[in-house]
Amino acid sequence: AQTVTQSQPEMSVQEAETVTLSCTYDTSESDYYLFWYKQPPSRQMILVIRQEAYKQQNATENRFSVNFQKAAKSFSLKISDSQLGDAAMYFCAYRRGGSEKLVFGKGTKLTVNP
Amino acid sequence: GAGVSQSPSNKVTEKGKDVELRCDPISGHTALYWYRQSLGQGLEFLIYFQGNSAPDKSGLPSDRFSAERTGGSVSTLTIQRTQQEDSAVYLCASSPMNDPEAFFGQGTRLTVV
């Protein structure tokens, strides 16, 4: 079974600084997708960024970027120029290609200090 | 609205009562998921519907939990004889065909007293 591991239960960063959240996963599949979701106190899960396994180029969305290391099965999220609104729980998720369920890590709580 | 809608937003129930949680997915989305999030924890998969295929029920924690999806759209998660350990946020999500991204609702916070 696929598993997703987030080794940092909590992280903190100063406003305007950069922070990296770690995620590793275990799979024997070659076709899959990886995601980072943000969950603010409102509970709504919001997609931050996604990465298709077949793409070698790391995904980027404005201040958010990933470091996708397929051989190492690592998928870290970098947040640049951190803002107070970035404070939330961040979840890494995996989905096998085709019709399959999402598997989530246990999350990392990010605090942004002013 | 155009997003995934869940109701009720909050539900307090007495131990032993049955509860029904509703999820209205985004129109046209073929896949629908239910997850449970206990306090301070990650998301625990419960059940997954994909089109007309048999649902993946592998995450349901006990036979007190069941879910159905009528007409390929609205889904209801039913918890019978609720226990205090059932207290959690229940999240629903949906995905379109051929797109792995899941869109989440705001969840139902269930409190069993």
Side-chain angles (χ1 to χ4, degrees), chain B residues 12-94:
Chain B
V12 179
T13 189
E14 292 181 352
K15 178 180 173 181
K17 300 275 190 179
D18 298 351
V19 294
E20 286 189 350
L21 311 181
R22 178 189 168 102
C23 174
D24 205 338
I26 294 172
S27 178
H29 281 194
T30 57
L32 187 147
Y33 313 78
W34 284 98
Y35 288 86
R36 178 169 71 176
Q37 186 177 27
S38 302
L39 184 62
Q41 300 298 309
L43 276 72
E44 175 189 5
F45 167 76
L46 296 178
I47 189 168
Y48 166 64
F49 296 89
Q50 175 61 269
N52 295 321
S53 302
D56 178 352
K57 303 180 182 180
S58 61
L60 295 179
S62 76
D63 59 8
R64 296 187 296 105
F65 288 72
S66 63
E68 62 176 19
R69 188 179 184 192
T70 53
S73 181
V74 172
S75 177
T76 302
L77 177 68
T78 301
I79 309 173
Q80 295 179 311
R81 306 181 301 282
T82 52
Q83 305 294 313
Q84 287 186 328
E85 60 262 30
D86 299 335
S87 295
V89 174
Y90 290 82
L91 291 164
C92 176
S94 68

Side-chain angles (χ1 to χ4, degrees), chain A residues 49-60:
Chain A
I49 199 164
R50 63 186 269 181
Q51 175 82 43
E52 288 83 353
Y54 65 85
K55 290 187 177 179
Q56 292 185 338
Q57 187 172 6
N58 290 325
T60 298

Side-chain angles (χ1 to χ4, degrees), chain A residues 2-3 5 7 11 13 18 25 35 39 41 44 47 50 60 62 64 67 69 77 81 97 102 104 111-112:
Chain A
Q2 291 84 13
T3 58
T5 302
S7 59
M11 292 283 285
V13 63
T18 295
Y25 58 96
F35 306 87
Q39 187 182 41
Q44 178 103 44
L47 180 68
R50 63 186 269 181
T60 298
N62 300 314
F64 299 87
N67 183 4
Q69 300 291 326
L77 175 69
D81 185 27
L102 278 168
F104 285 85
T111 301
V112 180

Side-chain angles (χ1 to χ4, degrees), chain A residues 32-35 37 39 41-48 50-52 89 91 93-107, chain B residues 4 8-10 31 33 35 37 40-43 45 48 50 56 58 89 91 95-109:
Chain A
Y32 56 87
Y33 302 85
L34 297 163
F35 306 87
Y37 279 89
Q39 187 182 41
S42 67
R43 298 199 311 242
Q44 178 103 44
M45 297 282 284
I46 302 164
L47 180 68
V48 174
R50 63 186 269 181
Q51 175 82 43
E52 288 83 353
M89 285 291 293
F91 292 95
Y94 163 99
R95 182 178 181 180
R96 195 177 78 174
S99 301
E100 281 289 335
K101 61 180 180 278
L102 278 168
V103 177
F104 285 85
K106 293 189 180 299
Chain B
V4 176
S9 180
N10 292 282
Y33 313 78
Y35 288 86
Q37 186 177 27
Q41 300 298 309
L43 276 72
F45 167 76
Y48 166 64
Q50 175 61 269
D56 178 352
S58 61
V89 174
L91 291 164
S95 295
M97 176 74 78
N98 298 324
D99 187 336
E101 180 178 342
F103 297 79
F104 282 81
Q106 289 194 303
T108 293
R109 181 180 297 281

